[in-house]
């Protein structure tokens, strides 16, 4: 999807980056970023939110998705003018969605309610489930689902609706919920359709070489909690990887037609993507505004120096879903270990990242006031903060008001792929939904954030961040600063005023 805009990289945020280091420049030097890496977000290919969202029609995944667990799946949802919906979820045994395990058929009704007061740009919705059925594509999948159901009392009731392994029928649909079969078997399986409670639809134009731009429609549904035990109660505040209209999707898209033509009896078998060896050297950038749980809007840029295994990250935070109203920028740097193949997530590579330096730049009056009224020496030492002025917070072991702790270690999960247009993509582990840090091996991610795009190859090794940094932000995936959610800033400011009074 991102690669479709590669020929027009110069008009996208951070698409393409290049710096030059003059010979003999000292340690305190600054990078000089190529102009196309400094393009403001307003210059990128625009997208338009559709309010209220228009859900009618078929929506499909554009590739294999990875959910926390890990779970590998593709989705095909259809919404009807009567507010009824049909959701098909296809689960797989492999990270390339080439070995189907089982499929879920979910039918129900969804009703849009109001604009979300938590997540700007989103719409809240209610949904009701009428039927849930499951089809097993091999005996192993049946045994695995039965084992998971038998772990709880409610699950054992659901397991009795499934056949013994010896009498399993390929392609048969077994009801988990209907007018006759009540009970929440989705919960017993650790699944949820709460994603339907938060909705955003947007349109954009995909540039086409030597042709008119192509309309692309995207459906963003609520994010899935990284802790399976919390999914029953969690109400989304962020998004998953978007579905796209089966009629208006990116091109080329080898998976789109396969998914659109599939059904629960004939799941799509996707061609494996071109897996790339993990070579991190170079500049990796967001393709646009990203959204995280706890109402965080951001863009990211990472520079990896492969020969020294050091990294730099830029996290630009915003208060709006278009990433046009900056609040603060964080620069972070450190080192990372040599990667080892993941034993939990096939195709992934496990690394350990250390954050040793950080700089903060407030970009609006609210954040600046919060920093100025924070406890002395809790963020950057003595002196007043001002809008647009960067300060080093390494000496104060980070920035307490923004939740930045130094030094800091995180256990990460990476993978690289190549999209249909030959563009390199870097997937970095998904941050925990509860805002905690993966600071132990047990908390290492099992799913991924939106991919970053390679915009320049191996980068020179610099010891200072550039003065003109591209826009990015938040709980870094590569070094993982933990930043307080923006909605808490007014509260923090209020408490700071009370403290000083």
């Amino acid at each position: 999807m991102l690669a479709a805009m590669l020929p027009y990289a110069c008009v996208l945020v951070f698409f393409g980056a290049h710096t030059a280091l003059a010979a003999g420049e000292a340690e305190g030097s600054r990078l000089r970023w190529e102009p196309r890496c400094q393009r403001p977000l307003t210059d990128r290919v625009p997208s338009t939110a559709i309010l209220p969202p228009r859900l009618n029609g078929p929506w499909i995944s554009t590739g294999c998705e990875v959910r926390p667990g890990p779970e590998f799946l593709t989705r095909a949802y259809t919404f009807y003018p009567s507010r009824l919906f049909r959701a098909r979820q296809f689960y797989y045994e492999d990270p390339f969605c080439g070995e189907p395990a089982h499929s879920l058929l979910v039918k129900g009704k969804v009703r849009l309610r109001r604009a979300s007061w938590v997540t700007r740009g989103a719409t809240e919705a209610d949904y009701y489930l009428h039927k849930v059925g499951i089809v097993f594509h091999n005996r192993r999948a049946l045994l695995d689902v039965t084992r998971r159901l038998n772990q709880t009392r409610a699950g054992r009731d659901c397991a009795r609706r499934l056949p013994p392994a010896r009498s399993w029928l390929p392609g048969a649909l077994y009801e988990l919920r209907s007018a006759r079969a009540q009970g929440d078997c989705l919960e017993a399986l650790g699944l949820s359709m709460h994603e339907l409670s938060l909705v955003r639809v947007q349109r954009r134009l995909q540039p086409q070489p030597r042709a008119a731009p192509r309309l692309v429609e995207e459906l963003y549904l609520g994010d899935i909690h990284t802790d399976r035990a919390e999914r029953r109660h969690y109400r989304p505040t962020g998004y998953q990887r978007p579905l796209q209209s089966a009629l208006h999707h990116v091109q080329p898209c080898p998976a789109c037609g396969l998914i659109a033509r599939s059904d629960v009896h004939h799941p799509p078998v996707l061609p494996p993507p071109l897996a790339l060896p993990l070579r991190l050297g170079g500049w990796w950038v967001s393709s646009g505004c990203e959204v995280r749980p706890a109402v965080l809007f951001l863009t990211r840029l990472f520079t990896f120096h492969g020969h020294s295994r050091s990294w730099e990250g830029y996290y630009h935070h915003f208060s709006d879903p278009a990433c046009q109203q900056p609040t603060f920028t964080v620069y972070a740097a450190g080192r990372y270990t040599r990667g080892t193949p993941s034993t939990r997530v096939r195709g992934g590579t496990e690394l350990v990242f250390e954050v040793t330096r950080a700089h903060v730049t407030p970009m609006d009056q609210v954040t600046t006031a919060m920093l100025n009224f924070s406890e002395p020496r809790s963020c950057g030492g003595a002196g007043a903060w001002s809008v647009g002025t960067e300060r080093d917070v390494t000496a104060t072991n980070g920035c307490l008001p923004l939740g930045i702790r130094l030094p800091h270690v995180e256990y990460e999960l990476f993978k690289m792929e190549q999209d249909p247009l030959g563009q390199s993509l870097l997937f970095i582990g998904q941050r925990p939904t509860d805002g905690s840090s993966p600071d132990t091996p047990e908390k290492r991610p099992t799913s991924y954030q939106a991919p970053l795009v390679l915009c320049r190859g191996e980068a020179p090794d610099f010891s200072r961040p550039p003065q003109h940094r591209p826009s990015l932000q938040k709980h870094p995936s590569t070094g993982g600063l933990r930043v307080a959610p923006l909605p808490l800033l007014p509260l923090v400011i209020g408490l700071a005023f009370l403290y000083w009074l």
Side-chain angles (χ1 to χ4, degrees):
M1 182 172 72
L2 301 179
M5 302 182 190
L6 183 59
Y8 297 83
C10 60
V11 298
L12 291 176
V13 183
F14 318 134
F15 266 49
H18 175 65
T19 59
L21 181 66
E25 283 186 318
E27 178 179 356
S29 62
R30 297 281 183 168
L31 300 187
R32 295 194 297 274
W33 294 88
E34 194 169 279
R36 62 180 178 154
C37 287
Q38 303 178 44
R39 306 291 292 192
L41 281 164
T42 52
D43 286 350
R44 67 186 173 95
V45 174
S47 62
T48 303
I50 307 301
L51 295 173
R54 299 176 194 153
L55 300 182
N56 294 347
W59 302 85
I60 55 175
S61 301
T62 55
C64 191
E65 302 178 10
V66 184
R67 284 183 175 177
E71 294 175 340
F72 311 110
L73 76 157
T74 58
R75 296 176 290 159
Y77 294 0
T78 302
F79 297 89
Y80 301 96
S82 60
R83 298 181 181 173
L84 296 176
F85 73 87
R86 180 186 63 189
R88 290 166 290 161
Q89 297 182 349
F90 309 100
Y91 290 83
Y92 300 82
E93 297 180 348
D94 68 304
F96 311 115
C97 292
E99 303 172 19
H102 65 273
S103 300
L104 287 179
L105 176 63
V106 182
K107 295 182 178 181
K109 192 169 189 176
V110 63
R111 180 176 66 90
L112 300 178
R113 295 175 56 205
R114 59 174 178 265
S116 173
W117 63 273
V118 175
T119 305
R120 289 184 60 184
T123 298
E124 296 177 356
D126 291 327
Y127 72 93
Y128 309 91
L129 300 184
H130 299 159
K131 285 188 175 183
V132 178
I134 188 169
V135 175
F136 297 100
H137 304 300
N138 59 59
R139 186 171 278 103
R140 287 190 309 275
L142 171 61
L143 293 173
D144 178 63
V145 169
T146 303
R147 176 186 57 79
R148 288 160 56 186
L149 289 173
N150 282 327
Q151 293 175 356
T152 64
R153 178 179 299 177
R156 285 191 286 273
D157 293 336
C158 296
R160 285 194 283 270
R161 303 173 191 174
L162 302 179
R166 63 179 177 274
S167 59
W168 160 70
L169 296 176
L173 178 69
Y174 300 97
E175 288 187 346
L176 295 179
R177 181 188 180 97
S178 68
R180 298 185 303 274
Q182 295 296 321
D184 194 349
C185 293
L186 280 183
E187 177 190 338
L189 281 172
L191 302 174
S192 167
M193 290 300 293
H194 290 337
E195 62 187 281
L196 295 175
S197 62
L198 193 71
V199 176
R200 176 181 172 89
V201 174
Q202 67 181 35
R203 292 174 176 171
R204 59 183 173 86
L205 293 177
Q206 175 195 359
Q208 299 284 309
R210 298 177 299 278
R214 177 183 178 86
L215 176 65
V216 174
E217 295 184 336
E218 296 175 314
L219 170 60
Y220 289 82
L221 298 176
D223 62 299
I224 305 298
H225 202 290
T226 52
D227 185 347
R228 186 187 295 269
E230 298 295 328
R231 292 180 186 175
R232 175 187 177 188
H233 305 288
Y234 176 67
R235 291 301 180 268
T237 56
Y239 303 117
Q240 300 176 69
R241 176 175 173 175
L243 300 176
Q244 293 192 2
S245 168
L247 305 177
H248 304 288
H249 58 76
V250 295
Q251 291 286 1
C253 180
C256 291
L258 296 173
I259 297 172
R261 293 189 297 269
S262 64
D263 58 54
V264 292
H265 304 286
H266 306 91
V269 176
L270 304 191
L274 179 58
L276 302 177
L278 192 65
R279 296 174 181 168
L280 295 180
W283 285 272
W284 299 86
V285 299
S286 296
S287 63
C289 193
E290 300 178 6
V291 184
R292 298 289 185 275
V295 201
L296 289 166
F297 306 104
L298 70 147
T299 55
R300 302 172 290 156
L301 183 146
F302 294 118
T303 305
F304 297 96
H305 312 294
H307 58 283
S308 62
R309 288 205 287 275
S310 61
W311 67 275
E312 299 173 84
Y314 306 88
Y315 315 94
H316 291 244
H317 295 250
F318 301 84
S319 62
D320 68 299
C323 288
Q324 294 182 349
Q325 301 170 21
T327 54
F328 64 96
T329 296
V330 176
Y331 161 81
R335 303 184 66 84
Y336 61 93
T337 64
R338 185 185 301 274
T340 58
S342 173
T343 56
R344 290 191 65 188
V345 185
R346 284 171 54 191
T349 299
E350 297 179 349
L351 304 96
V352 179
F353 277 79
E354 182 181 15
V355 190
T356 57
R357 292 183 291 140
H359 297 229
V360 172
T361 307
M363 300 300 293
D364 68 351
Q365 295 291 346
V366 173
T367 308
T368 303
M370 182 268 293
L371 294 175
N372 278 324
F373 283 93
S374 60
E375 185 176 350
R377 300 196 63 79
S378 65
C379 183
W385 289 85
S386 60
V387 175
T389 301
E390 176 193 80
R391 294 184 61 180
D392 190 340
V393 298
T394 306
T396 53
N397 296 324
C399 183
L400 182 61
L402 296 179
I404 300 172
R405 296 184 292 108
L406 295 176
H408 183 63
V409 172
E410 291 203 349
Y411 293 82
E412 269 297 355
L413 179 73
F414 278 43
K415 75 170 178 178
M416 285 180 60
E417 290 182 359
Q418 192 173 82
D419 69 11
L421 287 181
Q423 184 162 313
S424 297
L425 306 177
L426 175 62
F427 294 81
I428 298 175
Q430 182 177 349
R431 316 310 303 162
T433 305
D434 63 6
S436 64
S437 170
D439 51 8
T440 65
E442 295 74 24
K443 297 177 69 175
R444 190 187 301 272
T446 56
S447 57
Y448 302 99
Q449 302 178 51
L452 301 173
V453 181
L454 179 65
C455 63
R456 188 70 181 181
E458 183 68 31
D461 202 349
F462 300 101
S463 57
R464 290 263 313 155
Q467 177 68 34
H468 307 291
R469 33 188 79 141
S471 73
L472 305 123
Q473 47 184 177
K474 169 180 168 179
H475 314 322
S477 33
T478 73
L481 297 178
R482 296 169 53 217
V483 181
L486 185 65
L488 296 180
L489 296 185
L491 175 61
V492 174
I493 294 172
L495 294 176
F497 273 101
L498 291 175
Y499 176 85
W500 286 104
L501 291 176

